[in-house]
Amino acid sequence: MEAIFDAAYLLFDLVAAIIISFGCYLPVTLFSKTKPKVGLLMIPKTCAYMWIIAMGLQLLF
């Protein structure tokens, strides 16, 4: 039963990381021509990708 809760928690985190990544990427694609500083949102997007990788490695070990 505990494994089910662990998988659900990991899935919730994975969905959150994907939403954060997309939420940071969308303004960059829409407004980067007019406001170049919006490009700084690529930093949290990259952190979300690293979080996804960390979750995948957690599944392996």
Side-chain angles (χ1 to χ4, degrees):
M1 188 71 169
E2 185 178 336
I4 294 172
F5 289 122
D6 288 343
Y9 179 73
L10 190 62
L11 185 64
F12 178 77
D13 282 349
L14 182 65
V15 169
I18 291 170
I19 290 171
I20 289 169
S21 173
F22 186 72
C24 291
Y25 180 69
L26 187 62
V28 173
T29 58
L30 294 176
F31 304 115
S32 65
K33 298 276 185 190
T34 58
K35 299 185 186 279
K37 288 189 179 183
V38 173
L40 288 172
L41 286 173
M42 295 301 273
I43 295 171
K45 181 189 81 65
T46 303
C47 291
Y49 282 165
M50 292 170 55
W51 184 26
I52 291 170
I53 291 169
M55 284 186 278
L57 289 173
Q58 199 175 33
L59 283 174
L60 288 175
F61 301 109

